Amino acid sequence: QVQLVESGGGLVQAGGSLRLSCAASGSIFSINAMGWYRQAPGKQRELVAAITSGGSTNYADSVKGRFTISRDNAKNTVYLQMNSLKPEDTAVYYCNADLYDGEGYEYDYWGQGTQVTVSS
């Protein structure tokens, strides 16, 4: 069994910063891509940022230049540094990990979500 545990959400004023963390634990052979998604009330879940095991990254246009995704492969942890936050960044942020089981299969796991609220 694999668990993704997120931390670091909270309430911040516009222009402020937050850092999200997501640690994967359990029976892990290897982790391919890891990423952060978010879902605002009444909207669909959207990709915020993703990072491969080799460190290649991609970002939603709305966060480019403000957010930075990184990972520590030794700790099976992914981070999202969020700077210059805007009220429209308010959402529940979910961690995602694509795990390989060593036998030819890949599995998608999600964290429980952490609330980020940006006040104007």
Side-chain angles (χ1 to χ4, degrees):
Q1 194 73 328
V2 174
Q3 282 190 318
L4 301 182
V5 178
E6 299 136 337
S7 61
L11 173 64
V12 65
Q13 288 189 331
S17 298
L18 283 174
R19 188 189 195 214
L20 305 183
S21 299
C22 171
S25 62
S27 181
I28 298 172
F29 181 82
S30 67
I31 303 177
N32 298 326
M34 301 184 80
W36 290 94
Y37 289 72
R38 67 186 180 187
Q39 187 166 19
K43 295 188 177 182
Q44 289 188 332
R45 189 174 297 189
E46 62 175 358
L47 174 68
V48 176
I51 184 168
T52 67
S53 57
S56 297
T57 60
N58 68 289
Y59 296 92
D61 288 342
S62 59
V63 307
K64 283 181 181 176
R66 300 188 297 122
F67 291 10
T68 302
I69 189 170
S70 61
R71 65 189 280 177
D72 184 332
N73 291 330
K75 296 181 179 180
N76 292 330
T77 300
V78 63
Y79 306 96
L80 185 67
Q81 178 66 44
M82 304 185 292
N83 298 329
S84 302
L85 282 160
K86 304 175 180 180
E88 50 263 44
D89 294 317
T90 295
V92 177
Y93 284 70
Y94 296 92
C95 173
N96 173 266
D98 176 34
L99 273 63
Y100 175 62
D101 70 353
E103 298 180 358
Y105 296 93
E106 295 184 14
Y107 298 88
D108 214 30
Y109 288 90
W110 292 89
Q112 79 284 359
T114 185
Q115 178 70 46
V116 171
T117 303
V118 184
S119 62
S120 57

